[in-house]
Amino acid sequence: MCIEIVSYLPLRAADKESSPPPEECLQLLSRATQVFREEYILKQDLALEEIHRRVKLLREQKKKQLEDLGYCREERKSLREMAERLAEKYEEAKEKQEDIVNRMKKVLRSIHSQLPVLSDSEKDMKKELQTIQEQLRHLGNAIKQVSVNSLEDEGCGQGRCGTQLMFYPEEIQLLWLPLAF
């Protein structure tokens, strides 16, 4: 708010040697006082009220900001403590994980070291036995085929059965089962 200076006082051109009558001086003085009150003091009172209102508002804002600042400081402190706890938990979890990984590696090495290792001759023997087992399977199929063909040739299906084979492929495989790995 800007204070304007407005003067409603009449300017009087007077002689320097003559003095105005006392009533006129009194009237002039009372008019000047009234103008002064109306123009300056009233406006200054309004400005003073506005300043007080603004100061009150600023103090309330400052109080609120200080409260917010205190809250923010408490939150920052709380967050810092929480971050420290989380960092400690992370470090503990990381150490536990490293321990578990090391234990797993140790167990795997132990298991790997306990696995049987076949020598070259044992590997060759295993291959040979697998080959023999495969040949026996083929021979069993062939024997089955021969027995079916011989039964059909002799007319076994019409009530006349001839000699039957004593071994079947399953029995031959059972003979070789203890040798398989």
Side-chain angles (χ1 to χ4, degrees), residues 105-118:
K105 287 179 181 178
K106 186 177 178 181
V107 167
L108 287 174
R109 279 193 302 267
S110 172
I111 290 172
H112 186 66
S113 68
Q114 293 175 359
L115 289 176
V117 179
L118 297 177

Side-chain angles (χ1 to χ4, degrees), residues 51-62:
I51 289 171
H52 285 299
R53 190 184 63 76
R54 184 81 172 139
V55 166
K56 181 181 177 185
L57 180 68
L58 290 173
R59 282 186 179 151
E60 289 173 1
Q61 287 178 347
K62 179 182 175 184

Side-chain angles (χ1 to χ4, degrees), residues 12-15 17-30:
R12 181 172 136 84
D15 293 336
E17 297 163 7
S18 68
S19 71
E23 296 92 25
E24 192 177 319
C25 284
L26 181 63
Q27 190 181 16
L28 187 61
L29 182 62
S30 72

Side-chain angles (χ1 to χ4, degrees), residues 89-147:
K89 285 183 179 181
Y90 172 77
E91 289 299 321
E92 289 174 7
K94 187 177 176 182
E95 289 173 5
K96 285 180 182 179
Q97 181 183 8
E98 288 175 1
D99 289 345
I100 290 171
V101 168
N102 290 335
R103 286 174 51 200
M104 284 179 35
K105 287 179 181 178
K106 186 177 178 181
V107 167
L108 287 174
R109 279 193 302 267
S110 172
I111 290 172
H112 186 66
S113 68
Q114 293 175 359
L115 289 176
V117 179
L118 297 177
S119 66
D120 290 338
S121 60
E122 288 173 329
K123 289 178 185 176
D124 292 341
M125 176 74 135
K126 180 180 177 184
K127 284 181 186 176
E128 187 178 333
L129 288 173
Q130 287 172 342
T131 305
I132 291 172
Q133 187 175 10
E134 186 68 27
Q135 289 172 350
L136 284 174
R137 189 175 61 79
H138 288 300
L139 284 174
N141 288 338
I143 291 172
K144 224 186 230 185
Q145 189 66 34
V146 168
S147 105

